[in-house]
Each structure stands twice: as C-alpha cells, then as structure tokens.
C-alpha cells in the first residue's frame, strides 16, 4: 500500500489558500475599523497626519501583507508574522484613541478572536504581546491620556465592526470546521476499507458485526454471518504469483458487492478469508444466497489460466442462535471448518447439533 505524502506544490497551494483567506478577513477588518477610529481621532482633534496613516493601515496594508506573504518562501509563517503585525497596529490605534472604551474594546475583542481562530493559542499569545508592547510605548509617548467619552456617531460607526465582522468570522470558522469534519470522515473511511478490494476491512467488519448482533437481539433484524474461505488459495499464489491472487480476491470482492443486498456488508476478514454480514434473512434464504455466491465464484477465471476453477467453502451462522457476538463468529467458523473437513467447496449452516457433535 502506498502512503500519501503531500508534495511541495500541494503545500504551497494550501499556504496560498490560507494567505487569501487572511487577506479577505484583514481587508474587511481594517475597513470596518477605519471609520470608528477616524471618528475618535477627529473628536480628539488629532493632526491630519494620523488620519493619513490610518488610511494607509486600512487600505494599503492588507495588499502589502498579501504580496509579502505570497512572495515568501514560507507563505504560512510570513502570514502569521503579518497577523502579529496587525495586532501591533491595533495597539497603536488604541493608544492614539487614548483607550476610548467602545471602539478600543471592540477592536481588542476582534483581534483576539481572529488571531485565535487563525492560529490557536500560540498565535493569540504572540498577537497579545505585540499589541501590549505597541500600545504601552505609543500610549506613554503620547502622554498616557485616557479618553472615556465617545459620541453617538462613534457608536453607530462601531456597530458594523461589532456585528458584521464577528458574523463573517463565525461563518468562516464554521466552513473550515465543516471541511475538517469531511476530511476526517474520509480518512476514517479509508482507514476502515481494504484499499485493494474496496470493501470494509476486519476492523469495520467487527464494528458492524456487533451492531447487527445487537439489532438482532432487539428484534429489529435477523442477521446472518457468512465466512468464506477460498479453497487452495495458496496454490494460486505459488503457481501464478501474488498478482493473480490479488486479482482473484478483487474479482470475488466485486462479485460480493454486486450480489448481496444494500444493507448487507461484505468485508475482508483476513488473508484469503472473506465475510458477509446479511442484515435480514431466514435459514432457507441464507443457504440459497450462499449457494448462489458459490456458483458465481466458480465462474471467476484467471487471465493467466483459462482452465483455472475457483471454489469456496462457506460457513453460516445466525445471530439469533448466539449468546454473544464472539459466539456468533465462532459458530460461523465452526460451520466453515465442517465444510473443509467434508472436502471443501460447500455450504454449511451452523445448528446447535454442530456444537453437540463437537
């Protein structure tokens, strides 16, 4: 089995997606911060140079940050540095507003939420350190003033930042979480599937075996287990090679997928042993299914040999006759052993009399 390892191009594309996502959030944040900060600066009668610097920070810095990260060898690390710089700029403007309460605390909340969403605790700590260092230096140089008043104009201009940005951040975080859940489900599915046969592996098989056993105990179904052993499979590998053996298993697995019901579960039980959990059946119908599968398997041919004939031994057990899931599995194994002892290429349904004979 080959294991997936992302190449440099894949990592670069992933980094670029992160940079683009941060650019959109940064541009939205700086625009929404621009108006309440400008309102406070004007009310404090700050020099127009500060308004010009605010304009550069709000409308030019996002593009400069995007270009800087995109051109970097390590785009993700550079973008994280940009996020830390964002926090430092935030500290500077909070200091220049002399801690005007409404916009200052909203900006701090936005910065903290956004940094944590983008990089977790490590990014949040780096951002808060940058924010505090920039704030303290500028605030002390500016005279350590405190401006506790703000106008209704500032209130109205701050509301979009307090509402719209948080809403967009929540949507973006949810989308990322949803994508992660989807990828985790796919990884779990891959981990529980036999990669060569495209049917469940033993791990998933045993999970479903337990589920079907409990369902039968509750009276919601009448599950049966078929254990199938390909007769003289080792001779196929020895005579025609392992590729022929793999081909044979793949052909029979495809046959099982096509022949069993939608609620039934075919799986690779181990080596050349396959299994099928049949969700609902009777003694008569399950034996008929097993016989049909045996006949279909007998029709499988190897490309390397037109004379080759495949046969299979099948042991069957009902969940209703078992006290535990392990007993159910053991019953099917006993029935399979009886077929082998009788000469192979047959079907046997476990009955309580088998246990007495043993």
């Amino acid at each position: 089995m080959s294991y997936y390892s992302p190449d440099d191009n894949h990592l670069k594309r992933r980094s670029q997606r992160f940079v683009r996502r941060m650019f959109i959030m940064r541009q939205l944040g700086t625009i929404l911060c621009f108006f309440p900060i400008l309102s406070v600066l004007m009310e404090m009668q700050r020099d127009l140079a500060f308004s010009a610097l605010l304009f550069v920070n709000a409308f030019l810095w996002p593009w400069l940050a995007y270009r800087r990260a995109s051109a970097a060898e390590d785009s993700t690390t550079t973008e994280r540095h940009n996020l830390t710089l964002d926090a430092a700029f935030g500290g500077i403007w909070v200091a220049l507003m002399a801690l005007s309460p409404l916009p200052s605390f909203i900006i701090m909340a936005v910065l903290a939420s956004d940094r944590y969403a983008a990089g977790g605790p490590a990014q949040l700590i780096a951002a808060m350190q940058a924010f505090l260092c920039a704030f303290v230096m500028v605030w002390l140089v500016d005279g350590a003033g405190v401006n506790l008043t703000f106008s209704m104009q500032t209130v109205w201009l701050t509301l979009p930042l307090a509402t719209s940005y948080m809403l967009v951040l929540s949507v973006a975080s949810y989308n990322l979480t949803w994508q992660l859940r989807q990828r985790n489900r796919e990884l779990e599915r891959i981990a529980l599937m036999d990669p060569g046969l495209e049917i469940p592996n033993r791990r998933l098989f045993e999970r479903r075996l337990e589920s079907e056993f409990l369902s039968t105990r509750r009276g919601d179904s009448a599950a049966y287990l078929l254990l199938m052993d390909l007769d003289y499979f080792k001779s196929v590998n020895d005579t025609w090679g392992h590729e022929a053996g793999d081909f044979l298993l793949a052909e029979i697995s495809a046959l099982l997928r096509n022949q069993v019901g939608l609620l039934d579960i075919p799986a690779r039980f181990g080596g050349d042993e396959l299994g099928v959990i049949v969700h609902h059946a009777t003694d008569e119908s399950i034996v008929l299914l097993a016989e049909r599968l045996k006949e279909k398997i007998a029709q499988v041919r190897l490309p390397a040999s037109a004379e080759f004939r495949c046969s299979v031994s099948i042991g069957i057990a009902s969940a209703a006759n078992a006290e535990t899931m392990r007993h159910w599995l053991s019953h099917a194994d006993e029935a399979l052993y009886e077929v082998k002892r009788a000469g192979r290429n047959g079907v046997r349904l476990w009955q309580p009399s088998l246990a007495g004979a043993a």
Side-chain angles (χ1 to χ4, degrees):
M1 175 183 177
S2 60
Y3 293 90
Y4 171 71
S5 178
D7 58 20
D8 290 341
N9 288 334
H10 175 81
L11 294 174
K12 186 70 174 176
R13 288 194 300 271
R14 190 164 62 186
S15 294
Q16 289 297 331
R17 287 197 297 270
F18 174 67
V19 170
R20 285 194 296 270
R21 188 167 64 249
M22 290 301 100
F23 165 71
I24 292 170
M25 297 303 295
R26 177 179 291 111
Q27 184 67 87
L28 176 64
T30 56
I31 290 173
L32 292 177
C33 286
F34 174 78
F35 296 101
I37 295 175
L38 180 63
S39 176
V40 174
L41 294 179
M42 292 176 65
E43 290 167 5
M44 294 176 67
Q45 298 182 340
R46 289 285 192 180
D47 192 276
L48 286 177
F50 291 112
S51 298
L53 289 174
L54 178 62
F55 182 88
V56 170
N57 189 187
F59 296 98
L60 297 183
W61 161 243
W63 289 96
L64 292 173
Y66 176 74
R67 293 291 298 272
R68 177 172 178 260
S70 298
E73 186 69 25
D74 185 350
S75 298
T76 299
T77 300
T78 304
E79 182 56 37
R80 295 194 187 282
H81 293 160
N82 290 340
L83 291 170
T84 303
L85 283 173
D86 289 338
F89 294 148
I92 292 171
W93 294 115
V94 168
L96 292 174
M97 289 190 294
L99 282 169
S100 181
L102 184 62
S104 295
F105 285 103
I106 295 296
I107 288 170
M108 285 189 281
V110 166
L111 283 171
S113 302
D114 198 38
R115 297 324 91 155
Y116 189 84
Q123 185 65 57
L124 176 61
I125 291 170
M128 290 300 99
Q129 289 173 342
F131 178 92
L132 288 173
C133 287
F135 167 77
V136 170
M137 286 191 296
V138 174
W139 188 60
L140 291 176
V141 169
D142 197 47
V146 176
N147 175 24
L148 297 180
T149 63
F150 50 85
S151 67
M152 272 315 285
Q153 172 182 282
T154 300
V155 173
W156 283 106
L157 291 173
T158 306
L159 286 178
L161 175 63
T163 54
S164 302
Y165 189 86
M166 291 302 188
L167 179 60
V168 173
L169 179 61
S170 298
V171 171
S173 298
Y174 173 80
N175 288 338
L176 288 173
T177 302
W178 182 83
Q179 291 173 16
L180 182 61
R181 284 202 303 266
Q182 293 296 106
R183 289 173 185 172
N184 285 340
R185 288 195 190 103
E186 179 63 14
L187 288 173
E188 184 177 13
R189 186 193 70 80
I190 292 171
L192 295 175
M193 297 293 287
D194 187 287
L197 306 186
E198 297 183 5
I199 57 176
N201 59 22
R202 180 160 183 164
R203 183 180 169 195
L204 178 56
F205 186 72
E206 290 188 347
R207 284 190 189 181
R208 300 302 295 270
L209 196 69
E210 181 178 16
S211 175
E212 290 295 336
F213 177 77
L214 294 174
S215 176
T216 299
R217 299 282 287 188
R218 292 193 303 266
D220 297 333
S221 64
Y224 283 77
L225 171 62
L226 284 73
L227 285 186
M228 312 169 67
D229 192 33
L230 301 184
D231 298 331
Y232 309 109
F233 180 75
K234 185 177 183 300
S235 66
V236 175
N237 288 330
D238 293 342
T239 305
W240 293 287
H242 287 280
E243 287 187 0
D246 293 342
F247 172 84
L248 184 60
L249 285 172
E251 288 292 300
I252 294 173
S253 298
L255 186 152
L256 292 180
R257 291 197 307 270
N258 292 329
Q259 293 294 322
V260 302
L262 293 176
L263 297 179
D264 303 336
I265 304 118
R268 187 174 192 174
F269 194 68
D272 60 330
E273 201 168 68
L274 303 171
V276 180
I277 304 170
V278 178
H279 177 69
H280 195 93
T282 63
D283 286 355
E284 293 77 15
S285 67
I286 198 67
V287 171
L288 288 174
L289 172 63
E291 291 287 356
R292 186 171 74 251
L293 291 175
K294 185 169 75 73
E295 292 173 7
K296 293 286 186 182
I297 290 171
Q299 298 172 14
V300 175
R301 297 290 179 266
L302 286 178
S305 173
E307 292 77 26
F308 171 80
R309 297 292 182 271
C310 183
S311 67
V312 64
S313 301
I314 304 177
I316 311 169
S318 167
N321 291 330
E323 296 178 4
T324 66
M325 186 192 80
R326 292 299 167 193
H327 284 148
W328 185 21
L329 187 58
S330 176
H331 292 169
D333 198 50
E334 288 176 25
L336 177 60
Y337 176 75
E338 287 298 316
V339 175
K340 290 183 177 181
R341 193 164 63 176
R344 304 176 189 264
N345 192 27
V347 172
R348 184 69 179 266
L349 173 65
W350 187 90
Q351 299 288 356
S353 57
L354 267 182

